[in-house]
Amino acid sequence: MNGKKVLGMIFANIHEEALGGLTAMRTMGSVPFCSRYRLIDFPLSNMVEGGITKIGVITNANFRSLMDHVGTGKPWDLSRKNDGLYILPPFNVGSAAMWGNRIDALYGNKSFLEQSNQSYVLMSDCNNVASINYSKLFDRHEATGADITIVGVKAPMPKNISSVLCFDSVEADGRITGLSLDSTAGGDVYHSINIILMKKELLESLITAAHSKNEISFQRSVIMANVSALKIYAYEATEAFVGTLSSVQAYYDVSMKLLLKENRSRLFSSCPIYTKERDDMPSIYGHDSAFVNSLAADGCIIDGTVENSIIFKGVKIEKGAVVKNSILMQDTVVGEGSVLNCVIADKNVNIKNSVQLSGTETFPVFLSKGAVI
């Protein structure tokens, strides 16, 4: 299957309540990640690398930063005369917070689906940091003759996220014969990461039927209700690094995993991840600075000590400051003599001189955007 036959649909707001303060003033898709990226960069890049040339981004409220980031889609080669990138807020219904669920969101964008020339639709959320070869997914979907293919992983169940689709019974060829929601089983569970491929006409008919019955659960009313009537297949993302961001703690844990070179290679080597670049000078490291097992973007001034941390663009760490096991987002300032351990600082946080903040790896301290400490 050629990726040009596939329409991409990305849900930018789904699950954002799980990330608490990180999504207080932004969508899930525009949450900063790994020193230079936003979460939407991952599904966008995966789709573009899979050959998809038309992508619609469904969003609700707080999408200004998302629009500023994606712009016309140029970093992803989506600024083009035909197809390209489309932001799909609910302007046509007079409410910027109308989409309450996937069914409403898809039905509200039915005209966008109908006017698209593609034959298939690939839907994705923004809460999974992943590098997935969609060309293999398309080929598998076509080879099996599936009506619906769902990408899944075998991993512990995400916390703080409801309606997670679990594959209870899967035949040898990958066909799903049993599904449930929110498994309470311990250990690894084979579950969906909400990347779903199907024919566009099938999606339109399923959404229209569910909306006419006032159904609100896409997983229950569209997928589970048709597990016997349709050929629904699982596609296990075994080759990919997949990190599900289901809480602030999960955001911290997945970020820290990427300090390991092998995990970074799995995430970034198999599929290039594109993003909007902010031109800046190279980072400057002072004569007495120390930088150990950490990631730093451009435009930083580091005169203190940084260990096992992720530093975004424009961060300034002054002399005598110590930053360990922390995530400092864009333009954060750490004053002289301050000590941070297990801290997540949002953008433009100003930490004064001689401040000590310490969380734990299982309970990091979170500082909201623009905070002064």
Side-chain angles (χ1 to χ4, degrees), residues 133-317:
N133 188 327
Y134 283 148
S135 295
K136 292 182 179 179
L137 170 65
F138 300 156
D139 291 343
R140 170 71 181 282
H141 181 84
E142 195 170 44
T144 58
D147 295 309
I148 301 173
T149 299
I150 306 172
V151 178
V153 295
K154 293 177 181 176
M157 279 289 293
K159 297 179 180 178
N160 301 325
I161 290 182
S162 60
S163 299
V164 177
L165 200 61
C166 303
F167 308 152
D168 294 337
S169 179
V170 181
E171 295 181 352
D173 64 349
R175 183 169 182 174
I176 300 171
T177 55
L179 290 166
S180 64
L181 291 177
D182 303 327
S183 172
T184 57
D188 289 349
V189 177
Y190 197 6
H191 65 269
S192 164
I193 55 174
N194 290 321
I195 298 174
I196 302 173
L197 176 66
M198 70 176 78
K199 279 228 172 176
K200 187 179 70 171
E201 291 180 356
L202 175 60
L203 176 64
E204 290 171 348
S205 65
L206 292 173
I207 290 300
T208 300
H211 189 268
S212 68
K213 299 175 185 177
N214 293 319
E215 302 286 359
I216 61 173
S217 173
F218 182 90
Q219 288 86 347
R220 188 182 299 278
S221 303
V222 175
I223 304 298
M224 294 178 67
N226 291 289
V227 69
S228 298
L230 298 175
K231 295 173 67 177
I232 302 178
Y233 279 74
Y235 177 85
E236 186 177 357
T238 53
E239 80 286 355
F241 176 93
V242 178
T244 299
L245 309 183
S246 57
S247 64
V248 174
Q249 180 67 54
Y251 174 89
Y252 178 84
D253 292 341
V254 174
S255 297
M256 292 297 106
K257 286 181 181 179
L258 292 175
L259 292 177
L260 294 175
K261 184 178 180 180
E262 60 195 56
N263 289 333
R264 291 200 304 276
S265 295
R266 289 181 64 201
L267 179 59
F268 295 107
S269 296
S270 59
C271 174
I273 305 299
Y274 307 105
T275 189
K276 175 186 175 182
E277 290 293 345
R278 186 183 84 172
D279 293 335
D280 213 327
M281 63 180 183
S283 292
I284 298 173
Y285 298 85
H287 184 268
D288 296 321
S289 66
F291 195 80
V292 181
N293 191 39
S294 299
L295 302 176
D298 299 334
C300 299
I301 299 176
I302 299 175
D303 288 314
T305 298
V306 178
E307 294 182 14
N308 303 320
S309 296
I310 296 175
I311 310 298
F312 285 72
K313 294 184 178 184
V315 169
K316 184 176 182 181
I317 300 174

Side-chain angles (χ1 to χ4, degrees), residues 14 25 38-39 92 132 172 195 202 207 262 278 304 315 326 367:
I14 298 290
M25 293 182 283
R38 303 289 183 122
L39 293 184
N92 59 324
I132 298 173
I195 298 174
L202 175 60
I207 290 300
E262 60 195 56
R278 186 183 84 172
V315 169
S326 296
L367 305 177

